[in-house]
Amino acid sequence: MVRVGILGATGYTAFEAIKLLLRHPHVEITAVTSRQEAGQSIAEIHHALTGRIDLTVEASDVPTIAAKTDLIFSCLPHGASAEQAVAYLKAGKRVVDFSADYRLNDIATFRRWYGDHHPDADRVGKVVYGLPELFRERIASADLVANPGCYPTSAILPLAPLLKQGLIDPRSIVVDSKSGVSGAGRTPKLNFHYPECNESFSAYGVGTHRHMPEIDQILERHASVAVETIFTPHLTPMDRGILSTIYAVPLRPLEQDEVLQRLREAYAGEPFVQVVDHLPATKDVAHTNLCHLTARVVRGRIVLISCIDNLIKGAAGAAVQNLNCMYGFPETTALAP
Amino acid sequence: MVRVGILGATGYTAFEAIKLLLRHPHVEITAVTSRQEAGQSIAEIHHALTGRIDLTVEASDVPTIAAKTDLIFSCLPHGASAEQAVAYLKAGKRVVDFSADYRLNDIATFRRWYGDHHPDADRVGKVVYGLPELFRERIASADLVANPGCYPTSAILPLAPLLKQGLIDPRSIVVDSKSGVSGAGRTPKLNFHYPECNESFSAYGVGTHRHMPEIDQILERHASVAVETIFTPHLTPMDRGILSTIYAVPLRPLEQDEVLQRLREAYAGEPFVQVVDHLPATKDVAHTNLCHLTARVVRGRIVLISCIDNLIKGAAGAAVQNLNCMYGFPETTALAP
Amino acid sequence: MVRVGILGATGYTAFEAIKLLLRHPHVEITAVTSRQEAGQSIAEIHHALTGRIDLTVEASDVPTIAAKTDLIFSCLPHGASAEQAVAYLKAGKRVVDFSADYRLNDIATFRRWYGDHHPDADRVGKVVYGLPELFRERIASADLVANPGCYPTSAILPLAPLLKQGLIDPRSIVVDSKSGVSGAGRTPKLNFHYPECNESFSAYGVGTHRHMPEIDQILERHASVAVETIFTPHLTPMDRGILSTIYAVPLRPLEQDEVLQRLREAYAGEPFVQVVDHLPATKDVAHTNLCHLTARVVRGRIVLISCIDNLIKGAAGAAVQNLNCMYGFPETTALAP
Amino acid sequence: MVRVGILGATGYTAFEAIKLLLRHPHVEITAVTSRQEAGQSIAEIHHALTGRIDLTVEASDVPTIAAKTDLIFSCLPHGASAEQAVAYLKAGKRVVDFSADYRLNDIATFRRWYGDHHPDADRVGKVVYGLPELFRERIASADLVANPGCYPTSAILPLAPLLKQGLIDPRSIVVDSKSGVSGAGRTPKLNFHYPECNESFSAYGVGTHRHMPEIDQILERHASVAVETIFTPHLTPMDRGILSTIYAVPLRPLEQDEVLQRLREAYAGEPFVQVVDHLPATKDVAHTNLCHLTARVVRGRIVLISCIDNLIKGAAGAAVQNLNCMYGFPETTALAP
């Protein structure tokens, strides 16, 4: 049994991780932490867990938690997450970090987008990006995995094969993404107050969202070309799901069928990526670790559409998939939809 | 022109009041106040007002505000509202109080449900309840009007005629109400965080909601019988609207047609109460000052169903209707749906 | 392996049943039928099944289907369902009938509420009602199980123990239920057209809904008292979930703690019924086979609140639970939330 | 008084037109027609109109309707609409056509996108496009006005000034639009069945939507350059509202402030177009005839964001604005938000 401790257990990604891990035959959740809610039962915080798990939330005391865990899922905010990751790595634990602390290629880019403070700057750029479809082998042997951002997953999966094969102009890409509100986390704020965002649709962070450099850098890492996307996230009045509509200029004339074929070949055998002919909807993949994606060619330009559940393939499901890679379990364990 | 000042202008009821009053040919909004947001343009707070009103939010300095207003809409929380009301009344202004401070029949009941503090206890029980359908005459000459609670309006309108005419047992009443989330106000809280209440339905305040004594006392005031309801509010994943399903035991066998007939007679000529044959939906009255209501008799018991928009007939529309009564304007001014 | 055939596979309950059974280690789905969609892949109808199941929809030819199945889930409408059930029973198959054809205690009541036609009138009243919490033993040995209605499950579970123990007046009961729209099925109709029911709340079938006699009769069957409820269903703008708020007059004064205690004892050891102290929300049980329920005492009357997922515990999950009973599998198989 | 007849009165755009016109001091609605619902009261179809209008739905008999109207709002589908328009024009009536029959620049394009049949092909290309912000003068004197499509309005308003001034490459434009479900009309279909589109987001008509040539042709008509957009509509789980995110390559380097300034100048004095600094949300303009729009420059490319209410500025409000132009009323009559 892999003993898993979950840091920052009161948020939505931690909640989904708990539910997934409760189904995992080779995992036991042995600790859940939160600074603010320590002392409460985890089921008092997430009522849906009533009768399903009997754990009390603890403060994250590293020796205590380390003594009863093999693997840490850190659902803490950036900065705080790396700080804890360092401590648990030092204690010999493996870590899947849900934050952005280790996702980027270089510390300079991190600092430009996230601020100067990074408690573990030296590791930045050396940590594997936890998208098994692209980086499976390195994940298997890693002690620390940078779990991908939700938007980046939805953008990278459709774009990676086309960029790698030199089919699209890496500076022509527009990623227009739409996310459910759970992506904003569990802390109440006016923007995510029900009567503000219900029955409303809006863009936010236009040109300033931190997932823009992540998309660029991971695509660069994978395809060895300089990528510069225009990324626009939007808030959609629904709980969960991301749909990304992606526009790119091909480097040579491409038929729709060829684009679909290239995507199909790239993801043949992948259990969680389905290249479909129809136009997918976020509901088709809700509550699953699946990515549905398709392609169209419109007036010579390529339009890619991908759907994921932002909390599953975009966060907790990806983490469990990484866990499976790290421990040699079949990748679909606990993730069969 | 009636010059209106709106206290607590950043909330939803104030926002609706502003939009209604902008349509009023005999009203000018001359002041909007908020302690926390003073200095901002009101359109920066409510983006929908961009280009429609040019006012800066002020702190509520009574002499300043009084000098430029005739009537105050107080959208402040209970306690704070009475405190301000007293000051503006003293300054010779008329006041429509959106809070619960002056709604109940006696200070003892107020204290049991709202706590000991009341800055103007002597007036409690002497202020007219601003439901023109029941208390029109007293409103016309009042300097202070207690604007009704949203749930009470939805419960009192269907029940009042039947109780007054002695048709139903005043101790048999169950009021099962369902409200959109805007009823909870604009302050972000976990319960009203989009991913918490979207796609979810729940009861709250069962047996403990402060609108329960309000329903009882106003029905008593109107019908001169002791009323004791069971009131259960529920949170519905929608912005606005209240539907109340009300159960009562008749004091003699009643046919459905007779119940409908009694309601029709009671509200004949009322511009905002429509007794309908079909089962109404909250959407039918959304964004209007209307109440749609109907009745059924099931296994000898009476089932009443009423719908209002909680922010309009349940708050801001009622206030404008009261304003119209107070100043002798046709009651539908600015409220034609 | 139990080979399961699903009749009427294009609807929502069948879709949920398929997803649950795909997780069942001892079940294989061997046939899916639909008159109208025969010939299509089931994944073309339910895109979420892409890559997860490879079955073509067939017309329901009894010999063909019977040859490859052990158990039939009939998700057909009433009337049509009994017709098929008879045929499959004759062919030696076991049947879980999702329709109302076999739920009631007598054919006269069936005819009053569903019309004269019943293709298998003799069996009505003799078939076990598939609520394992009440009728587990008879289900285990049954060849035909009447899968419960969604509303009745939400009403019967909280009421059954209190009626059985003679604690509440069986003629005082009001069941005020609120359901998500998926309960209306997958056939497009104006009432369930998105812009009609979104942002709207309404009652329907007041005093005329067919689940009213079902609630009465199953409670009578269980508690041996004549029950006459007032049942009001409401349409809630959400996908899934039922919350029932139930009012009853106690036959002797009861404290809230005692009511909760009685419920706890009644459902001790039940894997799918959780008696909780807090007020439950439908979201707490969404996508699970759980029922969360609680009780309050308000002004001497009892208020019970129960939540289920109408498509799981209210339909497909209950059917899988019944399957587990019928074949001796642990009841939670494929249903662990 | 302008006497208005509304053809196809059971749909959503007609319903909104009725509500707006009920507020219009110089308009009387004298006829409402529908083939299928003739004989019913219009308030039986739209319950929200109960007590607000007393009209019976008629079949559209041209002499009967013409005798009591001055102006026709045709809310019929394309093809059927032109057929009726011809008849009413012949009868000396003025017509605002909500359909696409007269919007395009040439009949060849119409036929490519809408099929061969057009009952009035000769007029195509000669009818003014009812966007007063661009074509006000011609509307004033027109007998027939082609009311704009909802998506085109949201795309044309931000793009028109920039194209006209030669600031952006007319072949670089991507219009990524998101609409509420009311845009799909009132006829129940599986795609718009509540449980299908609630909690889901999807693209549709990628590269094939009929509003794509409309956007191109009207921009060409206005700016005298050949425009070729990539247009992707999406279905958003909300009732109403369109947000379009528009990407374009500038023809020379442009600062964000300059783009905003150009838009501000273009729409200075326009009552319904607000150029805002913040990122607008569809809710800001819901239930109004307003368009909120803004601009950003990201990595040298221009991102325009516009919001309208698809049923008001995108349909019924535009029609009333056109009516006001045609009859010389102030354009904001009945449209003050």
Side-chain angles (χ1 to χ4, degrees), chain A residues 176 195 198 229 247 283 299, chain D residues 176 195 198 229 247 283 299:
Chain A
D176 191 285
N198 185 46
T229 57
Y247 303 88
K283 201 167 210 166
R299 293 178 159 178
Chain D
D176 190 284
N198 184 47
T229 56
Y247 303 87
K283 199 165 210 168
R299 293 179 159 176

Side-chain angles (χ1 to χ4, degrees), chain A residues 152-286:
Chain A
T153 293
S154 78
I156 293 166
L157 284 174
L159 284 166
L162 306 184
L163 275 169
K164 181 104 178 187
Q165 298 174 36
L167 296 172
I168 56 176
D169 176 351
R171 294 186 177 275
S172 73
I173 299 167
V174 169
V175 177
D176 191 285
S177 295
K178 301 85 174 174
S179 173
V181 185
S182 63
R186 193 158 169 263
T187 305
K189 288 181 195 158
L190 185 58
N191 281 359
F192 316 118
H193 189 48
Y194 186 92
E196 295 293 310
C197 55
N198 185 46
E199 285 296 293
S200 197
F201 187 90
S202 58
Y204 68 100
V206 180
T208 64
H209 195 286
R210 289 158 166 174
H211 284 175
M212 192 156 80
E214 184 177 331
I215 295 169
D216 288 356
Q217 292 211 333
I218 304 306
L219 286 171
E220 284 181 27
R221 202 189 292 184
H222 175 71
S224 306
V225 287
V227 177
E228 202 181 80
T229 57
I230 308 287
F231 171 59
T232 314
H234 298 79
L235 198 62
T236 306
M238 60 185 188
D239 273 9
R240 52 208 295 162
I242 287 176
L243 183 143
S244 288
T245 313
I246 302 168
Y247 303 88
V249 176
L251 288 174
R252 61 167 175 81
L254 279 171
E255 298 292 317
Q256 189 164 302
D257 283 351
E258 183 180 349
V259 182
L260 282 165
Q261 185 56 23
R262 297 293 185 114
L263 292 169
R264 280 216 172 80
E265 286 164 11
Y267 293 114
E270 282 297 339
F272 296 119
V273 182
Q274 300 279 349
V275 181
V276 298
D277 287 322
H278 61 265
L279 293 169
T282 59
K283 201 167 210 166
D284 300 339
V285 298

Side-chain angles (χ1 to χ4, degrees), chain D residues 105-119:
Chain D
N105 289 354
D106 57 89
I107 188 69
T109 305
F110 181 92
R111 291 198 163 123
R112 199 171 324 125
W113 290 85
Y114 290 88
D116 280 346
H117 176 71
H118 194 301

